[in-house]
């Protein structure tokens, strides 16, 4: 559909042209009427020789209405012979002088110029209203409907999506280590802690034991938790874990890793004290190959508490790791065992 602005512009143009035409026609008809009302100049017969008398001076030529012809009209009205009466002959009719500019012609020319200017202005207005199309019969192309811009939604804190771990993975199964670099947001009252522990017997064999010297780190917050366990292992002769496996002649057996998120990891919090419980499947990182599960799962429990008052929300941590009836105590090194409470 055409917009109402071009239609109104063409209506105004039509009315203006009709008005200008009517004014111009009126002026032309008035001019013709005046021309028809004026008597045509007839050549008058020259009178015969007349007695000498005072000679009437000839009036100078000028504009057609420059001389007053009222006295001649009173002395010799139209239709009376020129020789009636003893008076002097009527004065000769002066030759018409050069006609001056016609006021009616100037008016018509001015109206024509105004009409052309009005046409140009209205055409420009119609062209702008139609988006550049100034032709009366052209139709403006309707703009294509646009899809409404998507409204911005305030960002929301999505819950952390932690991939689960298999409860009983097969040896060599892939997918291990997916949580090795992950953690959970602490929020306003979360806790992060780490512990370095002494020796712990993992397995008992006929000729000795496999021991580990674990370290544990955990993040707790926003109703979620994630724990990481590092188990450097040694094979030792005897039945206990020595304080220094290298000095006791134990053989390194590699390092095992374990990551466990909630809900498989159970977290109990009592103030700033934490207790973690879960079955941790371990995996190894062979050189040049992706991490793979070992097929071993250890049911572990870990306790962590601040070793003293919190300063700036932090303190040295202490605790223990339990595997069955075996227990490993935390090391008293504040750089290795630490707890921090947010808020």
């Amino acid at each position: 559909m055409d917009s109402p602005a071009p239609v109104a512009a063409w209506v105004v143009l039509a009315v203006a042209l009709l008005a200008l035409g009517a004014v111009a026609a009126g002026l032309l008809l008035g001019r013709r009427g005046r021309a028809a009302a004026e008597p045509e100049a007839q050549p008058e017969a020259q009178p015969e020789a007349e007695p000498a008398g005072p000679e009437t001076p000839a009036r100078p030529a000028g504009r057609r209405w420059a001389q007053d012809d009222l006295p001649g009209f009173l002395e010799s009205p139209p239709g009376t012979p020129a020789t009636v009466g003893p008076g002097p002959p009527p004065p000769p009719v002066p030759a018409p002088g050069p006609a001056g500019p016609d006021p009616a012609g100037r008016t018509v020319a001015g109206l024509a110029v105004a009409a052309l200017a009005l046409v140009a202005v209205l055409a420009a207005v119609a062209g702008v209203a139609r988006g550049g199309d100034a032709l009366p019969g052209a139709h403006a192309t309707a703009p294509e409907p646009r899809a409404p811009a998507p409204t911005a939604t305030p960002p929301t804190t999505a819950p952390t999506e932690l991939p689960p771990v298999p409860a009983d993975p097969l040896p060599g199964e892939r997918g291990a280590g997916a949580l090795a670099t992950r953690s959970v947001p602490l929020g306003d009252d979360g806790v992060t802690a780490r512990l370095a522990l002494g020796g712990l017997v993992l397995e008992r064999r006929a000729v000795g034991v496999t021991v580990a010297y674990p370290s544990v780190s955990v993040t707790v917050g926003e109703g979620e938790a994630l724990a990481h366990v590092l188990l450097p292992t040694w094979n030792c002769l005897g039945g206990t874990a020595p304080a220094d496996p290298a000095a006791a002649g134990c053989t390194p057996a590699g390092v095992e890793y374990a990551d466990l998120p909630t809900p498989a990891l159970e977290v109990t919090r009592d103030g700033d004290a934490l207790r973690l419980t879960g079955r941790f499947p371990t995996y190894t990182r062979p050189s040049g190959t992706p991490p793979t599960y070992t097929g071993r799962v250890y049911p572990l429990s870990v306790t962590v508490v601040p070793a003293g008052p919190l300063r700036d929300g932090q303190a040295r941590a202490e605790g223990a790791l339990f595997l069955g009836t075996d227990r490993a105590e935390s090391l008293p090194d504040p750089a290795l065992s630490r707890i921090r409470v947010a808020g």
Side-chain angles (χ1 to χ4, degrees):
M1 295 180 62
D2 293 338
S3 61
V7 176
W10 289 115
V11 170
V12 172
L13 175 60
V15 173
L17 291 177
L18 290 177
L20 291 174
V23 172
L27 291 175
L28 292 176
L29 290 177
R31 183 180 181 186
R32 290 180 180 178
R34 288 194 301 271
E38 294 179 358
E40 296 182 358
Q42 299 292 336
E44 295 184 0
Q46 297 294 331
E48 298 179 357
E50 297 182 0
E55 183 177 358
T56 304
R59 287 175 291 183
R63 296 177 61 179
R64 62 180 63 180
W65 297 294
Q67 301 294 333
D68 187 8
D69 58 350
L70 181 59
F73 178 83
L74 295 177
E75 292 174 0
S76 179
T80 59
T83 57
V84 174
V93 179
D102 188 2
R106 291 197 304 268
T107 304
V108 173
L111 291 175
V113 173
L116 291 177
L118 181 60
V119 169
V121 171
L122 292 177
V125 171
V128 172
R130 288 175 176 267
D133 185 8
L135 297 178
H139 295 280
T141 304
E144 298 181 359
R146 296 181 179 180
T151 57
T153 56
T156 57
T157 303
T160 306
E161 296 182 1
L162 300 177
V165 296
D168 296 301
L170 299 176
E173 184 176 346
R174 301 300 177 94
L179 297 170
T181 59
R182 301 287 297 273
S183 62
V184 299
L186 298 183
D188 296 333
D189 192 27
V191 178
T192 178
R194 64 179 182 269
L195 284 179
L197 302 123
L200 174 73
V201 176
L202 293 179
E203 297 181 12
R204 299 183 182 277
R205 305 180 185 276
V207 293
V209 292
T210 299
V211 298
Y213 299 83
S215 60
V216 179
S217 64
V218 62
T219 53
V220 180
E222 302 294 338
E224 296 180 312
L226 176 61
H228 305 283
V229 175
L230 179 67
L231 298 172
T233 59
W234 298 74
N235 291 324
C236 302
L237 297 175
T240 60
D244 186 351
C250 299
T251 304
V255 180
E256 298 185 15
Y257 307 86
D259 310 308
L260 192 65
T262 51
L265 176 66
E266 298 180 4
V267 179
T268 304
R269 183 173 178 180
D270 184 9
D272 296 331
L274 298 176
R275 182 180 181 87
L276 314 176
T277 304
R279 300 179 72 251
F280 289 76
T282 63
Y283 59 90
T284 59
R285 298 178 179 272
S287 299
T289 60
T292 59
Y293 285 108
T294 63
R296 291 184 288 272
V297 179
Y298 298 108
L300 302 177
S301 295
V302 182
T303 59
V304 183
V305 296
L310 296 177
R311 294 182 179 180
D312 297 329
Q314 301 185 43
R316 183 177 68 86
E318 62 183 13
L321 183 147
F322 301 89
L323 175 60
T325 58
D326 292 303
R327 171 177 179 160
E329 297 289 341
S330 61
L331 302 178
D333 188 344
L336 300 178
S337 300
R338 198 79 181 165
I339 186 170
R340 182 170 69 89
V341 180

